[in-house]
Amino acid sequence: MSFIQLRTKIPGPRSQQLMQRAEFATPRGLYHATPVFVAGAEGALIEDVDGNQLIDFAGGIGCLNTGHRAPRVIDAIRRQLDRFLHTSFNVLSYEGYVKLAERLNQITPGNFPKKTIFVNSGAEAVENAIKIARCYTHRPAILCFEDAFHGRTYMSMAVTSKTHPYKAGFEPLPGEVYRVPFGYCYRCSYSLSYPSCKMHCAHIEDTFRRVVAAESVAAVIAEPIMGEGGFITPPPEFFPVLSEICRKHGILIIADEVQTGFARAGALFASERLGLEPDLIVTAKSLGGGLPLAAVTGRAKIMDAPGYGAVGGTFGGNPAACEAALAVLDTIEEQNLSARANILGERFRKRAEQWQSRWELIGEVRGLGAMQALELARSRTSREPADEETRLVSQYCYEHGLVLITAGTYGNVIRLLMPLVITDAQMEEALDVLEAAFASVAEKRTAVAQPV
Ligand SMILES: Cc1ncc(COP(=O)(O)O)c(C=O)c1O
């Protein structure tokens, strides 16, 4: 049985009409990874407005680790809808907010007292984590990484790395932000090779001499595995080395687990797999099971630094979103989705490594758990980013019923963000489409390179 069922070409006529209306009604700055409009979704499957059924490898940009319309999540939201929908936690409080805070305090890395605040988006959580870190340390500077992505609000944009389309044209950006290289071994900023480099990039003492004084730095913000930057997975020593230096100088560590969190990387949080014990942890995306919800969780004494009324907001920790998140956490536990992420990742890697030996285009296969990616390069030696080929692979996929999204500073990474509840058969079918996409794009490249 095939899960992908195509009744029209993709995009179908109805999707095309709606996209025309979208182009008139919404600004061009809103990007569309596919030209498809959705009518319904369940688990890892999407039905579009033309009656086509597609497999979802994007999960609404990594927000659906528990799948579309996870039964427990839908039940929890329904129950909350029948009670009340909004009061603002700042005006009339409710237990769901407190319960979820208690739960995150307990399950996030670090065996110390913690507190949690809820906001509406990953970017807003990043803003708050930085506010809280500065307030606690009374220090101004923030260290961040090349290739990082933290959001589109001003402060989150400032700590984001990629210039186009994220930062260019929006300057001036907030100051006291300093950027250092990440453990991106495939494209090392120092042109060194792991492991003989001895993790040169993590030894940031020189930065404290040449760029910004250690005692001026409030925090370093890091994605344990970079998401938008291209699923860049640092070597195991990277965070332990960096953490030791931060501890020595009283610099806080903020882990941005917006994309890595909630079982995606084969553990509840990627920090656990990379020897990272953050002072503050930022979560969003899959936390809400499809509803907008984000959190900052951290050491209680740090979280208590801002005074009464200095943090919060009208909608942060919406009652339905908190109930949905509690159900997400139950679902992850009950279905052991961290273990499932590792199985899915292994399955992908086996096939991807075969593809890599077959097609030069696949420069690197990398990731942890189900957070796997392929970096595409025009040649094994030059590693020239294959951005156009990446776009073609993604286009082939959605035209053949697989929705996936790309990533990478150079736009040359294919990333996997399928719901972790995807079945084995759905996963195999999706990988068949991806394999066919590579066959098609790689053949086109050969045809161009060797005209007859
Ligand atoms: C690591 C990371 N941080 C922050 C954000 C921003 O989250 P949001 O889009 O919810 O503002 C994202 C979004 O992709 C992300 O991947």
Side-chain angles (χ1 to χ4, degrees):
M1 186 186 87
S2 174
F3 294 97
I4 295 174
Q5 285 169 18
L6 302 185
R7 298 204 162 83
T8 69
K9 275 185 80 172
I10 307 276
R14 185 93 186 101
S15 272
Q16 289 184 42
Q17 274 171 12
L18 286 168
M19 189 56 85
Q20 271 180 9
R21 279 173 54 196
E23 278 163 10
F24 277 105
T26 64
R28 67 184 181 121
L30 274 173
Y31 82 102
H32 301 279
T34 75
V36 176
F37 273 71
V38 65
E42 204 75 47
L45 299 177
I46 303 280
E47 194 187 325
D48 79 2
V49 288
D50 293 287
N52 300 299
Q53 185 161 284
L54 303 96
I55 296 177
D56 186 7
F57 256 31
I61 326 185
C63 296
L64 293 160
N65 291 358
T66 49
H68 290 278
R69 291 171 40 78
R72 253 182 175 282
V73 175
I74 297 294
D75 276 357
I77 296 170
R78 281 216 174 98
R79 270 185 271 117
Q80 185 56 41
L81 291 183
D82 288 336
R83 295 174 62 219
F84 60 93
L85 205 43
H86 174 71
T87 58
S88 186
F89 190 68
N90 300 120
V91 179
L92 289 167
S93 309
Y94 36 92
E95 189 178 354
Y97 191 115
V98 180
K99 246 174 140 170
L100 184 60
E102 288 168 346
R103 189 102 175 246
L104 285 177
N105 295 342
Q106 192 203 338
I107 61 174
T108 45
N111 189 17
F112 38 75
K114 293 184 214 124
K115 292 194 173 186
T116 293
I117 182 171
F118 295 108
V119 290
N120 303 295
S121 69
E124 194 186 348
V126 166
E127 297 278 342
N128 276 278
I130 291 175
K131 258 172 83 168
I132 294 166
R134 281 177 165 162
C135 186
Y136 175 77
T137 57
H138 302 289
R139 297 177 178 186
I142 302 294
L143 275 192
C144 58
F145 290 97
E146 288 174 4
D147 301 301
F149 181 86
H150 297 288
R152 288 182 173 85
T153 57
Y154 261 97
M155 193 64 209
S156 63
M157 210 174 13
V159 286
T160 287
S161 179
K162 193 171 175 174
T163 54
H164 296 89
Y166 301 130
K167 298 192 296 187
F170 299 114
E171 300 91 344
L173 301 174
E176 287 302 327
V177 168
Y178 301 90
R179 199 173 310 283
V180 290
F182 192 67
Y184 185 8
C185 302
Y186 188 70
R187 296 190 188 280
C188 176
S189 294
Y190 298 105
S191 303
L192 295 171
S193 299
Y194 176 79
S196 57
C197 63
K198 299 202 169 65
M199 290 315 310
H200 182 69
C201 55
H203 291 273
I204 51 175
E205 295 282 5
D206 208 35
T207 303
F208 299 144
R209 241 171 251 125
R210 303 169 79 182
V211 183
V212 57
E215 64 272 23
S216 300
V217 180
V220 48
I221 182 163
E223 299 158 87
I225 301 169
M226 282 189 177
E228 302 302 303
F231 281 27
I232 304 166
T233 314
E237 301 90 329
F238 182 77
F239 281 114
V241 170
L242 187 82
S243 303
E244 203 182 309
I245 296 170
C246 289
R247 300 280 176 247
K248 183 174 139 198
H249 294 288
I251 296 169
L252 303 182
I253 301 172
I254 304 171
D256 179 345
E257 291 244 20
V258 167
Q259 196 154 160
T260 48
F262 305 108
R264 172 66 45 192
L268 205 45
F269 298 98
S271 293
E272 297 166 45
R273 299 206 61 184
L274 289 163
L276 179 59
E277 194 172 88
D279 300 290
L280 295 167
I281 176 165
V282 174
T283 53
K285 289 200 187 278
S286 278
L287 171 63
L291 289 185
L293 182 67
V296 183
T297 302
R299 288 182 191 271
K301 61 182 180 188
I302 300 174
M303 294 295 292
D304 275 335
Y308 197 63
V311 288
T314 307
F315 275 120
N318 168 271
C322 285
E323 293 301 325
L326 287 163
V328 161
L329 296 175
D330 289 343
T331 304
I332 291 174
E333 243 175 67
E334 274 169 19
Q335 299 192 20
N336 201 356
L337 291 184
S338 296
R340 180 70 185 150
N342 286 321
I343 292 167
L344 291 169
E346 271 306 305
R347 186 159 294 168
F348 168 75
R349 272 192 103 94
K350 273 205 188 104
R351 287 189 70 170
E353 279 159 12
Q354 287 167 11
W355 301 342
Q356 193 181 22
S357 58
R358 198 157 139 207
W359 295 304
E360 187 173 18
L361 185 59
I362 299 175
E364 189 174 56
V365 183
R366 61 174 174 248
L368 272 182
M371 196 161 180
Q372 298 286 332
L374 302 167
E375 175 152 357
L376 274 53
R378 297 215 168 99
S379 112
R380 293 256 150 94
T381 40
S382 74
R383 298 190 177 180
E384 182 192 347
D387 53 348
E388 179 56 14
E389 292 84 343
T390 306
R391 194 190 62 73
L392 290 172
V393 166
S394 151
Q395 182 177 342
Y396 180 101
C397 285
Y398 73 67
E399 285 175 353
H400 292 80
L402 174 64
V403 175
L404 59 71
I405 50 177
T406 60
T409 298
Y410 305 98
N412 65 328
V413 176
I414 300 281
R415 59 175 151 166
L416 267 58
L417 283 171
M418 62 281 177
L420 302 175
V421 295
I422 192 170
T423 66
D424 289 349
Q426 290 165 350
M427 181 75 182
E428 285 308 312
E429 191 177 333
L431 294 182
D432 288 345
V433 175
L434 188 52
E435 181 171 316
F438 276 113
S440 160
V441 173
E443 272 161 32
K444 267 191 204 133
R445 282 174 85 232
T446 320
V448 171
Q450 299 165 349
V452 281

